Amino acid sequence: MIQPLFDGETAVNDTHLNVIAHMPTLSLPVITTDEFNQKLSDADYMRVAVLLAKKSYIEGGCPIGAVIVNNATKKIVGKGHNTLVQESHPYNHGETSAIRDAGRIDFSQTTLYTSLSPCDVCATLLYMRGFQRVVVGDVTNACGNEALLKEKGITVDILEDKMGVAQYAQFRQEKPDQDLEDWQGLAAVSKP
């Protein structure tokens, strides 16, 4: 049997969280123990979402990532990042990618961590799928749907991650057209 890399004695740091961000979700039980998962905090899960956003940015995409965590076990059950550019997919946002990765599960028993305030499509999907809690990592660069989520009965917590906020601000400055396309489509970019 393979010994997990991260157990109850393993420190929680960006190096280890980056490994978690880059491993396929189905492989995570091989590298983490229940004791390690129990040590993870909201800030740690948010950092994984931000590291996924960084992965997207390095790939040439929009820096948005998301992680879905089972509330009882604290295991990551889904994660993903925006692939608008990489897959030429207009609605494969961080949240939708994580939901697709999680598959057919009861989302009311999970928390979704997103590195950026959800767009209209993602916010709608979150309440349609029954999420009870969403943690947002950046409302400095974008916000607006937190009130909608709350109206739908979802607990919304803001937990800004400085690295994630700075990363999205840099992206927005470097690639304003790509940012606009991600939020409003190519038609918005071509408007005079």
Side-chain angles (χ1 to χ4, degrees):
M1 179 171 184
I2 297 173
Q3 289 291 82
L5 296 174
F6 308 146
D7 60 23
E9 302 299 315
T10 306
V12 177
N13 58 41
D14 276 6
T15 300
H16 297 144
L17 296 176
N18 201 38
V19 170
I20 290 169
H22 285 78
M23 288 291 293
T25 304
L26 291 175
S27 297
L28 292 178
V30 175
I31 66 165
T32 64
T33 64
D34 291 342
E35 293 78 18
F36 181 81
N37 292 328
Q38 292 300 319
K39 290 172 36 171
L40 299 177
S41 67
D42 282 348
D44 297 325
Y45 293 119
M46 182 57 67
R47 183 49 62 100
V48 173
V50 167
L51 291 165
L52 286 162
K54 182 177 182 180
K55 179 180 191 287
S56 181
Y57 183 71
I58 290 168
E59 293 172 353
C62 305
I64 307 166
V67 175
I68 301 170
V69 176
N70 178 295
N71 295 332
T73 65
K74 297 189 75 176
K75 290 180 181 178
I76 294 173
V77 294
K79 57 191 177 68
H81 62 282
N82 185 300
T83 57
L84 168 79
V85 172
Q86 303 92 309
E87 295 180 11
S88 189
H89 194 302
Y91 285 109
N92 202 17
H93 290 178
E95 300 91 340
T96 58
S97 179
I99 290 168
R100 183 183 66 204
D101 185 48
R104 297 173 63 205
I105 65 170
D106 180 356
F107 291 106
S108 71
Q109 305 300 310
T110 67
T111 297
L112 181 129
Y113 298 81
T114 179
S115 66
L116 187 70
S117 179
C119 72
D120 295 346
V121 171
C122 292
T124 301
L125 186 59
L126 293 174
Y127 72 77
M128 285 179 64
R129 289 293 163 242
F131 283 90
Q132 298 298 305
R133 181 173 180 240
V134 173
V135 182
V136 179
D138 181 355
V139 294
T140 297
N141 290 298
C143 66
N145 282 317
E146 292 75 25
L148 170 69
L149 293 173
K150 289 177 183 177
E151 284 175 22
K152 296 295 184 179
I154 299 173
T155 300
V156 177
D157 294 315
I158 308 301
L159 180 63
E160 287 202 309
D161 181 293
K162 290 180 183 181
M163 184 173 95
V165 172
Q167 183 172 261
Y168 201 84
Q170 178 182 349
F171 161 75
R172 188 169 257 176
Q173 182 179 7
E174 291 174 357
K175 299 181 179 183
D177 286 352
Q178 189 175 323
D179 177 52
L180 184 60
E181 178 188 354
D182 190 54
W183 284 90
Q184 297 179 27
L186 278 174
V189 175
S190 61
K191 283 184 183 175

